[in-house]
Amino acid sequence: MIRFRLRELIIEKEFKENRRITLEEIARATNIQRTTLSRIGGQRGYNTTTINIDRLCEYFGCRVENIMEHIQEPEK
């Protein structure tokens, strides 16, 4: 399963810039709808486009592997 690290990236950016960052601010800066950002950040197994991943990489100044990671699902 792919897990997005959006929440962690927001927290890191808030710490570096010593200010609060909202999803609304990120939505305006990236042209990604706020509801999509909310789903990326909180919905397990959410599927988004590579355009959104690219925009988030630009906004946070990071690489793809900082935005998302693969989590091995436990065997049933």
Side-chain angles (χ1 to χ4, degrees):
M1 174 177 60
I2 300 297
R3 182 180 84 84
F4 292 100
R5 299 187 63 249
L6 183 60
R7 290 180 184 166
E8 293 94 330
L9 289 170
I10 292 170
I11 290 169
E12 289 172 14
K13 188 171 179 75
E14 286 178 334
F15 183 78
K16 286 178 189 172
E17 297 182 6
N18 195 30
R19 66 186 185 91
R20 180 143 167 74
I21 297 172
T22 64
L23 289 181
E24 192 65 41
E25 176 185 338
I26 298 169
R28 282 192 305 270
T30 60
N31 202 27
I32 300 172
Q33 290 199 8
R34 191 200 161 288
T35 54
T36 300
L37 290 169
S38 183
R39 288 180 181 137
I40 290 171
Q43 187 175 330
R44 187 181 187 110
Y46 184 73
N47 186 12
T48 191
T49 66
T50 55
I51 292 169
N52 288 341
I53 300 300
D54 181 56
R55 290 174 179 170
L56 289 171
C57 287
E58 287 290 326
Y59 179 78
F60 288 105
C62 67
R63 299 175 54 88
V64 172
E65 56 266 25
N66 300 116
I67 298 281
M68 58 189 187
E69 65 181 338
H70 177 260
I71 303 292
Q72 189 71 30
E73 293 195 53
E75 294 185 31
K76 295 180 179 180

